[in-house]
Amino acid sequence: MPRVDQRRWAEVYLRGLLFLDGRKSVRKMAESILSLPVSQSLQQFINQSPWDWTPIRSQLAHFLGSQMENQAWVVSPAVIPKRGSHSVGVVRQFIPKEGRMINCQLGLGLFMTNATTIAPVNWRLLLKGKWAHDEDARAKVYLPDSVRGRPEWREILSMVDQSIGRWQLPPAPIVAHVPDPVAARELVDALDVRGLNYVLRVSESFRDLVQDQFVRSQRSKVLVGGEGARESGRLPPLLGTLEFPVGHQSTSVLIPLAGPRGKASYGNRVIRLIRERRRHSPGTQKLWITNMTQARLDDVMYVASLADRSTQAVRLLESNFGLQDFEGRSFRGWHHHITMVSAAWTYQQVYGGLE
């Protein structure tokens, strides 16, 4: 931050996120950290002050890169319930993990992840409904003209391009849940063109889309548990087993895909479909796709398992770090708050441990 006063208020805000119990409101931060009636100044810092969150996120990511080996870029949603409809991005929408409609903001976090450390370094706020086209509503929350509603897969790609491209952070597999099969296809194409590895959780309907639209050849290789192969005259069922982790079984199949649309010279590709089953809960299954076709199946499933860490991290961000406690309405304020939350989490991860 360029100004001394901004850095001073940032320290107050971070201390509030780190050390206050319960809801972390601006007023509570001012009274508890400074014991002074300066909540308006702190509110101005987080809501209106014109500091740019992008270089701070970049510095956080580079700092984390010096402290950990990033094994995957994991994308995780963050649901932020709201009572009214005037805060930026708030719409009533169906949240699959809740199984119901919720009036909320929906953010996407990009996490640097390994087996022991995880931290969010980039964020996007999904803009749907009026926030994409209602100029009056957009003006009230100071939404820039350049920021419009985009599909979730494009927001994922935007974070990846910014983090790996413009910030020049090392590539690692992209892990995300993309239930819409058409969106999954778009993201697969975009990541393949960029030469990036991915492990994406998809819906069962993705297999139908593959069979109907992707497969040029009628012949596919089936890998049983990552070992051996045989030829089949049709898109085969997922067969065989591999134990990973305990209580899970994973099976995989290799299938050819047409090159990305508009890239005639790109040629055919091969991707791997993996079905993950829980041994003691046969009805609980996950379907994954990856371009890591030469990797061991258990290594791919290790990368996929890192998605669970981001889900757990979001819960802790909500309960312990004030993720859902932002009281302002502006686009700038939302990004300021979420960046401070990321900084507080990073401090705790590096200097205080996950607990």
Side-chain angles (χ1 to χ4, degrees):
M1 292 181 186
R3 289 169 20 196
V4 173
D5 63 313
Q6 291 173 336
R7 294 194 292 272
R8 184 172 63 248
W9 289 120
E11 180 180 349
V12 173
Y13 206 85
L14 285 173
R15 286 180 179 273
L17 293 173
L18 283 165
F19 303 126
L20 291 182
D21 294 327
R23 185 169 180 81
K24 303 173 192 292
S25 67
V26 166
R27 182 174 180 178
K28 188 176 179 180
M29 288 181 187
E31 292 177 352
S32 300
I33 303 300
L34 294 178
S35 300
L36 292 171
V38 290
S39 59
Q40 286 188 345
S41 297
L42 191 57
Q43 184 81 5
Q44 194 277 336
F45 160 76
I46 206 68
N47 263 311
Q48 286 87 38
S49 184
W51 53 274
D52 187 355
W53 57 84
T54 302
I56 296 174
R57 293 180 185 176
S58 174
Q59 290 173 32
L60 279 174
H62 280 282
F63 171 70
L64 278 163
S66 71
Q67 303 292 314
M68 64 176 283
E69 176 194 2
N70 185 32
Q71 296 177 332
W73 293 98
V74 180
V75 179
S76 188
V79 178
I80 305 173
K82 292 289 182 179
R83 291 181 180 175
S85 61
H86 301 297
S87 295
V88 61
V90 172
V91 295
R92 186 167 177 79
Q93 54 193 311
F94 181 76
I95 303 300
K97 73 174 184 177
E98 300 290 340
R100 60 191 177 94
M101 300 289 289
I102 297 179
N103 194 64
C104 63
Q105 295 167 324
L106 185 57
L108 292 176
L110 184 65
F111 291 72
M112 296 175 68
T113 315
N114 64 27
T116 60
T117 307
I118 179 170
V121 296
N122 213 344
W123 292 91
R124 293 295 185 270
L125 177 63
L126 297 183
L127 299 173
K128 304 176 182 179
K130 67 179 181 180
W131 305 109
H133 55 77
D134 187 328
E135 296 303 328
D136 182 56
R138 289 171 54 85
K140 289 178 180 177
V141 297
Y142 305 102
L143 264 169
D145 289 339
S146 59
V147 178
R148 297 283 168 174
R150 294 191 293 187
E152 186 171 326
W153 74 268
R154 284 193 176 276
E155 296 292 8
I156 293 172
L157 192 64
S158 170
M159 289 192 290
V160 169
D161 284 344
Q162 186 175 51
S163 303
I164 297 176
R166 290 191 288 278
W167 296 351
Q168 298 185 330
L169 291 160
I174 313 302
V175 181
H177 183 195
V178 190
D180 182 339
V182 176
R185 173 185 176 174
E186 297 282 5
L187 187 57
V188 162
D189 285 354
L191 293 175
D192 273 334
V193 167
R194 287 160 174 77
L196 297 173
N197 288 335
Y198 53 81
V199 182
L200 306 179
R201 183 182 171 191
V202 297
S203 65
E204 289 292 332
S205 55
F206 183 85
R207 292 195 73 208
D208 297 331
L209 188 65
V210 167
Q211 194 164 17
D212 293 342
Q213 299 181 20
F214 283 178
V215 181
R216 288 182 177 180
S217 170
Q218 292 297 311
R219 301 181 67 82
S220 301
K221 285 184 179 180
V222 180
L223 296 189
V224 181
E227 306 268 348
R230 68 177 175 82
E231 296 293 326
S232 172
R234 60 186 177 83
L235 188 66
L238 301 180
L239 302 173
T241 63
L242 175 84
E243 300 300 324
F244 182 88
V246 175
H248 286 59
Q249 295 176 329
S250 297
T251 61
S252 76
V253 56
L254 293 182
I255 60 172
L257 300 187
R261 288 176 294 181
K263 300 285 183 179
S265 62
Y266 194 86
N268 286 350
R269 300 163 287 172
V270 173
I271 67 166
R272 191 180 206 170
L273 275 75
I274 303 170
R275 186 182 299 280
E276 178 188 2
R277 293 183 177 91
R278 296 182 185 271
R279 184 190 302 170
H280 302 297
S281 181
T284 303
Q285 302 184 16
K286 294 179 181 179
L287 188 66
W288 302 86
I289 57 172
T290 180
N291 58 352
M292 298 169 62
T293 57
Q294 302 302 313
R296 287 165 46 90
L297 183 53
D298 54 352
D299 291 337
V300 176
M301 293 311 298
Y302 165 74
V303 172
S305 74
L306 294 175
D308 292 335
R309 298 210 73 224
S310 71
T311 302
Q312 296 164 5
V314 168
R315 292 196 194 103
L316 286 173
L317 286 166
E318 293 169 353
S319 61
N320 296 355
F321 292 85
L323 178 67
Q324 297 181 338
D325 294 346
F326 177 56
E327 299 169 317
R329 295 179 176 179
S330 71
F331 178 78
R332 177 188 294 169
W334 188 90
H335 276 283
H336 284 171
H337 172 76
I338 212 81
T339 301
M340 291 293 100
V341 169
S342 293
W345 173 274
T346 299
Y347 178 89
Q348 186 77 356
Q349 280 279 280
V350 175
Y351 298 110
L354 182 60
E355 300 303 327

